[in-house]
């Protein structure tokens, strides 16, 4: 079972690495008051994925402690 888990982790890592290397175009994120920043698409997706995972973890943790 551990072998299957590690193989799936390696597969996901390789797939994400290939995705990141194919999406190196710069995008512009616009903020308030005409502020902006340019990032590669893969970095922006990683940031927003991590933020979503963090928010979900906080919500689940808060729900578990209210019971």
């Amino acid at each position: 079972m551990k072998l299957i888990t590690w193989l799936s982790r390696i597969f996901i890592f390789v797939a994400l690495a290939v995705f990141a290397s194919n999406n190196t175009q710069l995008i512009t994120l616009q903020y308030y008051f005409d502020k902006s920043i340019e990032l590669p698409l893969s970095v922006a997706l990683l940031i927003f994925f991590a933020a979503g995972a963090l928010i979900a973890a906080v919500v689940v943790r808060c729900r578990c402690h209210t019971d």
Side-chain angles (χ1 to χ4, degrees):
M1 192 62 164
K2 287 186 179 186
L3 177 65
I4 294 172
T5 302
W6 277 105
L7 287 175
S8 65
R9 287 178 183 172
I10 291 170
F11 175 75
I12 290 171
F13 176 78
V14 169
L16 290 175
V18 169
F19 177 78
S21 67
N22 287 334
N23 290 296
T24 57
Q25 303 92 320
L26 289 179
I27 61 167
T28 303
L29 295 176
Q30 305 269 338
Y31 294 105
Y32 298 109
F33 306 118
D34 295 329
K35 296 197 184 244
S36 63
I37 186 171
E38 286 190 1
L39 294 171
L41 177 62
S42 58
V43 173
L45 289 174
L46 178 65
I47 290 170
F48 287 110
F49 175 79
L54 180 66
I55 291 169
V58 167
V59 168
V60 167
R61 188 165 177 93
C62 289
R63 279 200 166 174
C64 290
H65 286 297
T66 58
D67 290 340

